[in-house]
PDB file of all heavy atoms in Angstrom:
ATOM      1  N   GLY A   1       3.376  -9.487 -13.783  1.00  0.00           N
ATOM      2  CA  GLY A   1       2.306 -10.240 -14.439  1.00  0.00           C
ATOM      3  C   GLY A   1       1.328  -9.332 -15.162  1.00  0.00           C
ATOM      4  O   GLY A   1       0.974  -9.571 -16.325  1.00  0.00           O
ATOM      5  N   ILE A   2       0.885  -8.295 -14.455  1.00  0.00           N
ATOM      6  CA  ILE A   2      -0.071  -7.363 -15.076  1.00  0.00           C
ATOM      7  C   ILE A   2       0.573  -6.620 -16.252  1.00  0.00           C
ATOM      8  O   ILE A   2      -0.046  -6.410 -17.306  1.00  0.00           O
ATOM      9  CB  ILE A   2      -0.592  -6.369 -14.022  1.00  0.00           C
ATOM     10  CG1 ILE A   2      -1.428  -7.108 -12.968  1.00  0.00           C
ATOM     11  CG2 ILE A   2      -1.420  -5.268 -14.674  1.00  0.00           C
ATOM     12  CD1 ILE A   2      -1.854  -6.248 -11.792  1.00  0.00           C
ATOM     13  N   GLY A   3       1.846  -6.238 -16.070  1.00  0.00           N
ATOM     14  CA  GLY A   3       2.554  -5.558 -17.157  1.00  0.00           C
ATOM     15  C   GLY A   3       2.664  -6.440 -18.384  1.00  0.00           C
ATOM     16  O   GLY A   3       2.524  -5.965 -19.528  1.00  0.00           O
ATOM     17  N   SER A   4       2.906  -7.758 -18.134  1.00  0.00           N
ATOM     18  CA  SER A   4       3.010  -8.696 -19.263  1.00  0.00           C
ATOM     19  C   SER A   4       1.686  -8.814 -20.001  1.00  0.00           C
ATOM     20  O   SER A   4       1.635  -8.844 -21.240  1.00  0.00           O
ATOM     21  CB  SER A   4       3.462 -10.070 -18.752  1.00  0.00           C
ATOM     22  OG  SER A   4       4.740  -9.986 -18.150  1.00  0.00           O
ATOM     23  N   LEU A   5       0.589  -8.887 -19.240  1.00  0.00           N
ATOM     24  CA  LEU A   5      -0.731  -8.980 -19.871  1.00  0.00           C
ATOM     25  C   LEU A   5      -1.037  -7.732 -20.690  1.00  0.00           C
ATOM     26  O   LEU A   5      -1.566  -7.811 -21.812  1.00  0.00           O
ATOM     27  CB  LEU A   5      -1.806  -9.195 -18.802  1.00  0.00           C
ATOM     28  CG  LEU A   5      -1.808 -10.554 -18.103  1.00  0.00           C
ATOM     29  CD1 LEU A   5      -2.839 -10.568 -16.983  1.00  0.00           C
ATOM     30  CD2 LEU A   5      -2.110 -11.672 -19.112  1.00  0.00           C
ATOM     31  N   ILE A   6      -0.732  -6.584 -20.130  1.00  0.00           N
ATOM     32  CA  ILE A   6      -0.980  -5.334 -20.865  1.00  0.00           C
ATOM     33  C   ILE A   6      -0.141  -5.290 -22.148  1.00  0.00           C
ATOM     34  O   ILE A   6      -0.621  -4.900 -23.231  1.00  0.00           O
ATOM     35  CB  ILE A   6      -0.660  -4.126 -19.967  1.00  0.00           C
ATOM     36  CG1 ILE A   6      -1.653  -4.055 -18.795  1.00  0.00           C
ATOM     37  CG2 ILE A   6      -0.696  -2.828 -20.779  1.00  0.00           C
ATOM     38  CD1 ILE A   6      -1.328  -2.982 -17.773  1.00  0.00           C
ATOM     39  N   PHE A   7       1.134  -5.697 -22.005  1.00  0.00           N
ATOM     40  CA  PHE A   7       2.012  -5.702 -23.178  1.00  0.00           C
ATOM     41  C   PHE A   7       1.498  -6.648 -24.251  1.00  0.00           C
ATOM     42  O   PHE A   7       1.486  -6.328 -25.445  1.00  0.00           O
ATOM     43  CB  PHE A   7       3.425  -6.077 -22.741  1.00  0.00           C
ATOM     44  CG  PHE A   7       4.385  -6.188 -23.872  1.00  0.00           C
ATOM     45  CD1 PHE A   7       4.823  -5.041 -24.562  1.00  0.00           C
ATOM     46  CD2 PHE A   7       4.858  -7.422 -24.297  1.00  0.00           C
ATOM     47  CE1 PHE A   7       5.712  -5.146 -25.620  1.00  0.00           C
ATOM     48  CE2 PHE A   7       5.739  -7.522 -25.356  1.00  0.00           C
ATOM     49  CZ  PHE A   7       6.176  -6.386 -26.017  1.00  0.00           C
ATOM     50  N   MET A   8       1.070  -7.863 -23.799  1.00  0.00           N
ATOM     51  CA  MET A   8       0.546  -8.837 -24.765  1.00  0.00           C
ATOM     52  C   MET A   8      -0.724  -8.300 -25.442  1.00  0.00           C
ATOM     53  O   MET A   8      -0.908  -8.407 -26.665  1.00  0.00           O
ATOM     54  CB  MET A   8       0.242 -10.162 -24.034  1.00  0.00           C
ATOM     55  CG  MET A   8       1.489 -10.920 -23.591  1.00  0.00           C
ATOM     56  SD  MET A   8       1.125 -12.275 -22.458  1.00  0.00           S
ATOM     57  CE  MET A   8      -0.044 -13.210 -23.406  1.00  0.00           C
ATOM     58  N   GLY A   9      -1.620  -7.706 -24.646  1.00  0.00           N
ATOM     59  CA  GLY A   9      -2.848  -7.162 -25.229  1.00  0.00           C
ATOM     60  C   GLY A   9      -2.558  -6.028 -26.191  1.00  0.00           C
ATOM     61  O   GLY A   9      -3.169  -5.933 -27.288  1.00  0.00           O
ATOM     62  N   PHE A  10      -1.647  -5.150 -25.815  1.00  0.00           N
ATOM     63  CA  PHE A  10      -1.299  -4.018 -26.678  1.00  0.00           C
ATOM     64  C   PHE A  10      -0.689  -4.505 -27.986  1.00  0.00           C
ATOM     65  O   PHE A  10      -1.000  -4.010 -29.077  1.00  0.00           O
ATOM     66  CB  PHE A  10      -0.323  -3.093 -25.938  1.00  0.00           C
ATOM     67  CG  PHE A  10       0.146  -1.946 -26.767  1.00  0.00           C
ATOM     68  CD1 PHE A  10      -0.680  -0.844 -27.015  1.00  0.00           C
ATOM     69  CD2 PHE A  10       1.427  -1.950 -27.333  1.00  0.00           C
ATOM     70  CE1 PHE A  10      -0.232   0.211 -27.791  1.00  0.00           C
ATOM     71  CE2 PHE A  10       1.855  -0.899 -28.114  1.00  0.00           C
ATOM     72  CZ  PHE A  10       1.029   0.192 -28.342  1.00  0.00           C
ATOM     73  N   THR A  11       0.189  -5.512 -27.891  1.00  0.00           N
ATOM     74  CA  THR A  11       0.847  -6.045 -29.100  1.00  0.00           C
ATOM     75  C   THR A  11      -0.168  -6.677 -30.042  1.00  0.00           C
ATOM     76  O   THR A  11      -0.134  -6.467 -31.272  1.00  0.00           O
ATOM     77  CB  THR A  11       1.908  -7.063 -28.694  1.00  0.00           C
ATOM     78  OG1 THR A  11       2.857  -6.439 -27.812  1.00  0.00           O
ATOM     79  CG2 THR A  11       2.643  -7.604 -29.918  1.00  0.00           C
ATOM     80  N   LEU A  12      -1.107  -7.494 -29.443  1.00  0.00           N
ATOM     81  CA  LEU A  12      -2.124  -8.118 -30.284  1.00  0.00           C
ATOM     82  C   LEU A  12      -3.007  -7.064 -30.962  1.00  0.00           C
ATOM     83  O   LEU A  12      -3.371  -7.174 -32.139  1.00  0.00           O
ATOM     84  CB  LEU A  12      -2.992  -9.063 -29.420  1.00  0.00           C
ATOM     85  CG  LEU A  12      -2.319 -10.363 -28.969  1.00  0.00           C
ATOM     86  CD1 LEU A  12      -3.209 -11.097 -27.981  1.00  0.00           C
ATOM     87  CD2 LEU A  12      -2.033 -11.256 -30.181  1.00  0.00           C
ATOM     88  N   TYR A  13      -3.348  -6.045 -30.184  1.00  0.00           N
ATOM     89  CA  TYR A  13      -4.207  -4.996 -30.741  1.00  0.00           C
ATOM     90  C   TYR A  13      -3.498  -4.265 -31.869  1.00  0.00           C
ATOM     91  O   TYR A  13      -4.089  -4.002 -32.947  1.00  0.00           O
ATOM     92  CB  TYR A  13      -4.600  -4.015 -29.641  1.00  0.00           C
ATOM     93  CG  TYR A  13      -5.408  -2.836 -30.155  1.00  0.00           C
ATOM     94  CD1 TYR A  13      -6.764  -3.005 -30.484  1.00  0.00           C
ATOM     95  CD2 TYR A  13      -4.808  -1.594 -30.319  1.00  0.00           C
ATOM     96  CE1 TYR A  13      -7.488  -1.917 -30.953  1.00  0.00           C
ATOM     97  CE2 TYR A  13      -5.542  -0.518 -30.801  1.00  0.00           C
ATOM     98  CZ  TYR A  13      -6.883  -0.677 -31.113  1.00  0.00           C
ATOM     99  OH  TYR A  13      -7.621   0.387 -31.595  1.00  0.00           O
ATOM    100  N   GLU A  14      -2.240  -3.907 -31.721  1.00  0.00           N
ATOM    101  CA  GLU A  14      -1.489  -3.194 -32.759  1.00  0.00           C
ATOM    102  C   GLU A  14      -1.329  -4.057 -34.004  1.00  0.00           C
ATOM    103  O   GLU A  14      -1.444  -3.581 -35.148  1.00  0.00           O
ATOM    104  CB  GLU A  14      -0.119  -2.772 -32.215  1.00  0.00           C
ATOM    105  CG  GLU A  14      -0.170  -1.648 -31.197  1.00  0.00           C
ATOM    106  CD  GLU A  14      -0.706  -0.358 -31.796  1.00  0.00           C
ATOM    107  OE1 GLU A  14      -0.409  -0.077 -32.975  1.00  0.00           O
ATOM    108  OE2 GLU A  14      -1.453   0.359 -31.095  1.00  0.00           O
ATOM    109  N   ASN A  15      -1.047  -5.359 -33.795  1.00  0.00           N
ATOM    110  CA  ASN A  15      -0.923  -6.260 -34.948  1.00  0.00           C
ATOM    111  C   ASN A  15      -2.235  -6.350 -35.719  1.00  0.00           C
ATOM    112  O   ASN A  15      -2.262  -6.389 -36.959  1.00  0.00           O
ATOM    113  CB  ASN A  15      -0.488  -7.648 -34.484  1.00  0.00           C
ATOM    114  CG  ASN A  15       0.997  -7.701 -34.158  1.00  0.00           C
ATOM    115  OD1 ASN A  15       1.784  -6.917 -34.705  1.00  0.00           O
ATOM    116  ND2 ASN A  15       1.391  -8.609 -33.273  1.00  0.00           N
ATOM    117  N   TYR A  16      -3.313  -6.452 -34.932  1.00  0.00           N
ATOM    118  CA  TYR A  16      -4.628  -6.566 -35.585  1.00  0.00           C
ATOM    119  C   TYR A  16      -4.948  -5.304 -36.398  1.00  0.00           C
ATOM    120  O   TYR A  16      -5.369  -5.376 -37.559  1.00  0.00           O
ATOM    121  CB  TYR A  16      -5.703  -6.803 -34.523  1.00  0.00           C
ATOM    122  CG  TYR A  16      -7.101  -6.768 -35.078  1.00  0.00           C
ATOM    123  CD1 TYR A  16      -7.610  -7.857 -35.821  1.00  0.00           C
ATOM    124  CD2 TYR A  16      -7.911  -5.650 -34.904  1.00  0.00           C
ATOM    125  CE1 TYR A  16      -8.885  -7.810 -36.342  1.00  0.00           C
ATOM    126  CE2 TYR A  16      -9.187  -5.601 -35.417  1.00  0.00           C
ATOM    127  CZ  TYR A  16      -9.677  -6.686 -36.133  1.00  0.00           C
ATOM    128  OH  TYR A  16     -10.945  -6.649 -36.661  1.00  0.00           O
ATOM    129  N   MET A  17      -4.720  -4.158 -35.820  1.00  0.00           N
ATOM    130  CA  MET A  17      -5.009  -2.905 -36.500  1.00  0.00           C
ATOM    131  C   MET A  17      -4.114  -2.721 -37.729  1.00  0.00           C
ATOM    132  O   MET A  17      -4.551  -2.222 -38.788  1.00  0.00           O
ATOM    133  CB  MET A  17      -4.835  -1.706 -35.544  1.00  0.00           C
ATOM    134  CG  MET A  17      -5.823  -1.690 -34.395  1.00  0.00           C
ATOM    135  SD  MET A  17      -7.548  -1.676 -34.931  1.00  0.00           S
ATOM    136  CE  MET A  17      -7.615  -0.075 -35.754  1.00  0.00           C
ATOM    137  N   TYR A  18      -2.887  -3.146 -37.591  1.00  0.00           N
ATOM    138  CA  TYR A  18      -1.976  -3.036 -38.725  1.00  0.00           C
ATOM    139  C   TYR A  18      -2.413  -3.949 -39.859  1.00  0.00           C
ATOM    140  O   TYR A  18      -2.371  -3.591 -41.038  1.00  0.00           O
ATOM    141  CB  TYR A  18      -0.557  -3.367 -38.263  1.00  0.00           C
ATOM    142  CG  TYR A  18       0.475  -3.248 -39.346  1.00  0.00           C
ATOM    143  CD1 TYR A  18       0.919  -1.990 -39.784  1.00  0.00           C
ATOM    144  CD2 TYR A  18       1.002  -4.384 -39.950  1.00  0.00           C
ATOM    145  CE1 TYR A  18       1.853  -1.888 -40.800  1.00  0.00           C
ATOM    146  CE2 TYR A  18       1.949  -4.287 -40.955  1.00  0.00           C
ATOM    147  CZ  TYR A  18       2.382  -3.034 -41.368  1.00  0.00           C
ATOM    148  OH  TYR A  18       3.313  -2.937 -42.365  1.00  0.00           O
ATOM    149  N   ALA A  19      -2.847  -5.155 -39.497  1.00  0.00           N
ATOM    150  CA  ALA A  19      -3.260  -6.126 -40.514  1.00  0.00           C
ATOM    151  C   ALA A  19      -4.518  -5.675 -41.236  1.00  0.00           C
ATOM    152  O   ALA A  19      -4.716  -5.940 -42.428  1.00  0.00           O
ATOM    153  CB  ALA A  19      -3.474  -7.492 -39.869  1.00  0.00           C
ATOM    154  N   VAL A  20      -5.429  -4.996 -40.525  1.00  0.00           N
ATOM    155  CA  VAL A  20      -6.682  -4.533 -41.130  1.00  0.00           C
ATOM    156  C   VAL A  20      -6.400  -3.551 -42.255  1.00  0.00           C
ATOM    157  O   VAL A  20      -7.072  -3.548 -43.297  1.00  0.00           O
ATOM    158  CB  VAL A  20      -7.590  -3.911 -40.056  1.00  0.00           C
ATOM    159  CG1 VAL A  20      -8.769  -3.166 -40.705  1.00  0.00           C
ATOM    160  CG2 VAL A  20      -8.099  -4.994 -39.113  1.00  0.00           C
ATOM    161  N   HIS A  21      -5.412  -2.683 -42.062  1.00  0.00           N
ATOM    162  CA  HIS A  21      -5.118  -1.652 -43.050  1.00  0.00           C
ATOM    163  C   HIS A  21      -4.273  -2.163 -44.222  1.00  0.00           C
ATOM    164  O   HIS A  21      -4.005  -1.415 -45.169  1.00  0.00           O
ATOM    165  CB  HIS A  21      -4.395  -0.475 -42.391  1.00  0.00           C
ATOM    166  CG  HIS A  21      -5.274   0.282 -41.428  1.00  0.00           C
ATOM    167  ND1 HIS A  21      -5.432  -0.079 -40.106  1.00  0.00           N
ATOM    168  CD2 HIS A  21      -6.077   1.371 -41.634  1.00  0.00           C
ATOM    169  CE1 HIS A  21      -6.261   0.769 -39.528  1.00  0.00           C
ATOM    170  NE2 HIS A  21      -6.687   1.668 -40.446  1.00  0.00           N
ATOM    171  N   LEU A  22      -3.856  -3.394 -44.183  1.00  0.00           N
ATOM    172  CA  LEU A  22      -3.095  -3.973 -45.296  1.00  0.00           C
ATOM    173  C   LEU A  22      -4.053  -4.513 -46.366  1.00  0.00           C
ATOM    174  O   LEU A  22      -5.174  -4.898 -46.056  1.00  0.00           O
ATOM    175  CB  LEU A  22      -2.188  -5.095 -44.794  1.00  0.00           C
ATOM    176  CG  LEU A  22      -1.001  -4.676 -43.909  1.00  0.00           C
ATOM    177  CD1 LEU A  22      -0.282  -5.919 -43.382  1.00  0.00           C
ATOM    178  CD2 LEU A  22      -0.026  -3.780 -44.679  1.00  0.00           C
ATOM    179  N   GLY A  23      -3.590  -4.600 -47.484  1.00  0.00           N
ATOM    180  CA  GLY A  23      -4.393  -5.202 -48.542  1.00  0.00           C
ATOM    181  C   GLY A  23      -4.447  -6.701 -48.360  1.00  0.00           C
ATOM    182  O   GLY A  23      -3.659  -7.303 -47.637  1.00  0.00           O
ATOM    183  N   SER A  24      -5.402  -7.334 -49.062  1.00  0.00           N
ATOM    184  CA  SER A  24      -5.588  -8.783 -48.912  1.00  0.00           C
ATOM    185  C   SER A  24      -4.368  -9.550 -49.397  1.00  0.00           C
ATOM    186  O   SER A  24      -4.072 -10.629 -48.902  1.00  0.00           O
ATOM    187  CB  SER A  24      -6.835  -9.223 -49.700  1.00  0.00           C
ATOM    188  OG  SER A  24      -6.704  -8.881 -51.075  1.00  0.00           O
ATOM    189  N   ASP A  25      -3.653  -8.984 -50.378  1.00  0.00           N
ATOM    190  CA  ASP A  25      -2.485  -9.703 -50.877  1.00  0.00           C
ATOM    191  C   ASP A  25      -1.309  -9.647 -49.904  1.00  0.00           C
ATOM    192  O   ASP A  25      -0.407 -10.468 -49.960  1.00  0.00           O
ATOM    193  CB  ASP A  25      -2.076  -9.112 -52.245  1.00  0.00           C
ATOM    194  CG  ASP A  25      -1.824  -7.602 -52.147  1.00  0.00           C
ATOM    195  OD1 ASP A  25      -2.369  -6.990 -51.192  1.00  0.00           O
ATOM    196  OD2 ASP A  25      -1.091  -7.063 -52.981  1.00  0.00           O
ATOM    197  N   LYS A  26      -1.291  -8.687 -49.019  1.00  0.00           N
ATOM    198  CA  LYS A  26      -0.179  -8.570 -48.070  1.00  0.00           C
ATOM    199  C   LYS A  26      -0.496  -9.137 -46.686  1.00  0.00           C
ATOM    200  O   LYS A  26       0.388  -9.307 -45.859  1.00  0.00           O
ATOM    201  CB  LYS A  26       0.222  -7.097 -47.919  1.00  0.00           C
ATOM    202  CG  LYS A  26       0.807  -6.495 -49.200  1.00  0.00           C
ATOM    203  CD  LYS A  26       1.232  -5.075 -48.957  1.00  0.00           C
ATOM    204  CE  LYS A  26       1.860  -4.482 -50.226  1.00  0.00           C
ATOM    205  NZ  LYS A  26       2.294  -3.081 -50.024  1.00  0.00           N
ATOM    206  N   GLN A  27      -1.802  -9.419 -46.437  1.00  0.00           N
ATOM    207  CA  GLN A  27      -2.171  -9.924 -45.116  1.00  0.00           C
ATOM    208  C   GLN A  27      -1.614 -11.332 -44.867  1.00  0.00           C
ATOM    209  O   GLN A  27      -1.274 -11.687 -43.748  1.00  0.00           O
ATOM    210  CB  GLN A  27      -3.702  -9.928 -44.973  1.00  0.00           C
ATOM    211  CG  GLN A  27      -4.264  -8.521 -44.789  1.00  0.00           C
ATOM    212  CD  GLN A  27      -5.781  -8.525 -44.628  1.00  0.00           C
ATOM    213  OE1 GLN A  27      -6.415  -9.573 -44.816  1.00  0.00           O
ATOM    214  NE2 GLN A  27      -6.342  -7.366 -44.327  1.00  0.00           N
ATOM    215  N   GLY A  28      -1.513 -12.124 -45.943  1.00  0.00           N
ATOM    216  CA  GLY A  28      -0.959 -13.469 -45.780  1.00  0.00           C
ATOM    217  C   GLY A  28       0.498 -13.400 -45.349  1.00  0.00           C
ATOM    218  O   GLY A  28       0.949 -14.167 -44.500  1.00  0.00           O
ATOM    219  N   ILE A  29       1.221 -12.477 -46.016  1.00  0.00           N
ATOM    220  CA  ILE A  29       2.640 -12.327 -45.653  1.00  0.00           C
ATOM    221  C   ILE A  29       2.778 -11.875 -44.190  1.00  0.00           C
ATOM    222  O   ILE A  29       3.597 -12.350 -43.442  1.00  0.00           O
ATOM    223  CB  ILE A  29       3.327 -11.330 -46.610  1.00  0.00           C
ATOM    224  CG1 ILE A  29       3.271 -11.851 -48.040  1.00  0.00           C
ATOM    225  CG2 ILE A  29       4.763 -11.073 -46.180  1.00  0.00           C
ATOM    226  CD1 ILE A  29       3.765 -10.846 -49.088  1.00  0.00           C
ATOM    227  N   PHE A  30       1.890 -10.945 -43.838  1.00  0.00           N
ATOM    228  CA  PHE A  30       1.945 -10.445 -42.446  1.00  0.00           C
ATOM    229  C   PHE A  30       1.599 -11.563 -41.445  1.00  0.00           C
ATOM    230  O   PHE A  30       2.155 -11.646 -40.353  1.00  0.00           O
ATOM    231  CB  PHE A  30       0.976  -9.273 -42.302  1.00  0.00           C
ATOM    232  CG  PHE A  30       0.947  -8.715 -40.905  1.00  0.00           C
ATOM    233  CD1 PHE A  30       1.979  -7.907 -40.457  1.00  0.00           C
ATOM    234  CD2 PHE A  30      -0.100  -9.035 -40.041  1.00  0.00           C
ATOM    235  CE1 PHE A  30       1.953  -7.404 -39.177  1.00  0.00           C
ATOM    236  CE2 PHE A  30      -0.111  -8.522 -38.759  1.00  0.00           C
ATOM    237  CZ  PHE A  30       0.911  -7.698 -38.317  1.00  0.00           C
ATOM    238  N   GLY A  31       0.657 -12.449 -41.871  1.00  0.00           N
ATOM    239  CA  GLY A  31       0.291 -13.572 -40.994  1.00  0.00           C
ATOM    240  C   GLY A  31       1.479 -14.474 -40.729  1.00  0.00           C
ATOM    241  O   GLY A  31       1.639 -15.011 -39.625  1.00  0.00           O
TER     242      GLY A  31
END
């Protein structure tokens, strides 16, 4: 359970950071 939560949090954080560095025209595609 704890491993799943950590994995989910890590994945959300990486996605968020990746999306921030994308341009506005590519963020929709990433969404």
Side-chain angles (χ1 to χ4, degrees):
I2 294 173
S4 298
L5 290 175
I6 293 174
F7 177 71
M8 289 168 56
F10 177 76
T11 302
L12 288 172
Y13 176 76
E14 289 296 324
N15 283 334
Y16 173 76
M17 295 302 295
Y18 182 75
V20 168
H21 292 86
L22 291 174
S24 58
D25 56 337
K26 294 183 178 180
Q27 286 181 351
I29 298 172
F30 179 76

